[in-house]
Amino acid sequence: MKSFVHKTLVVELQAGDTERFPVLAHLSYDPSDPFAVTVVFTLDGRVLARWQLDREMVTEGLSRPVGIGDVRLRPQARGVGRELRMEFLGEARADGGRHHAVVFAWAEAVGEFLTETHRMVPPGCEEVGVDDFLADVLANS
């Protein structure tokens, strides 16, 4: 039995006013952190960004716009297919603005990844070791 889910996708990145260009998105899910999906974006072996996303938010983002903070997701039609549009707001820039990037992934591929995570830990069955966490916090204070 697998202890985690991993999928690598070719996605398109649009940063600022640039045209879209392909990068890799490495999606991973570890049931020990059942509410989170980690996405690492790479280009030519270099890590461009790492984001930890709420699994339910990604699931909902496939069917409707979600997010009001640094991460916003929504479905988008492209030709005959559907994409998941992921908008990320990053660190402040010197000019007062914020770094901004939009990533487009094929919705079907993201959905397949999420289906695998739901097989591993069905929605609503997530458990978090709060007692262990509190014991660690109290032991270190």
Side-chain angles (χ1 to χ4, degrees):
M1 183 171 140
K2 294 190 310 187
S3 59
F4 67 94
V5 178
H6 182 267
K7 187 174 191 82
T8 299
L9 306 174
V10 176
V11 298
E12 292 182 318
L13 171 66
Q14 184 176 27
D17 295 330
T18 66
E19 294 293 320
R20 292 182 180 194
F21 61 93
V23 298
L24 293 179
H26 308 275
L27 287 73
S28 61
Y29 178 77
D30 182 344
S32 68
D33 190 2
F35 296 101
V37 169
T38 301
V39 184
V40 178
F41 298 102
T42 64
L43 178 65
D44 297 331
R46 289 186 3 248
V47 173
L48 302 175
R50 180 182 188 278
W51 286 83
Q52 196 162 33
L53 307 174
D54 178 83
R55 179 173 74 154
E56 184 177 352
M57 182 179 174
V58 177
T59 301
E60 289 177 11
L62 290 170
S63 59
R64 66 179 184 86
V66 294
I68 56 172
D70 293 343
V71 178
R72 299 173 190 150
L73 310 174
R74 67 180 162 106
Q76 182 169 303
R78 183 169 191 204
V80 294
R82 287 182 329 120
E83 295 178 318
L84 174 62
R85 182 184 193 273
M86 299 178 276
E87 183 177 1
F88 300 97
L89 297 172
E91 300 290 321
R93 294 188 317 241
D95 66 4
R98 291 179 71 185
H99 290 282
H100 176 252
V102 180
V103 175
F104 301 90
W106 286 111
E108 184 176 334
V110 175
E112 289 169 0
F113 168 79
L114 290 169
T115 297
E116 288 185 53
T117 74
H118 293 156
R119 280 191 200 113
M120 186 170 281
V121 179
C125 295
E126 300 91 347
E127 292 182 12
V128 179
V130 174
D131 293 335
D132 295 336
F133 172 75
L134 289 176
D136 286 345
V137 169
L138 295 173
N140 292 323
S141 58

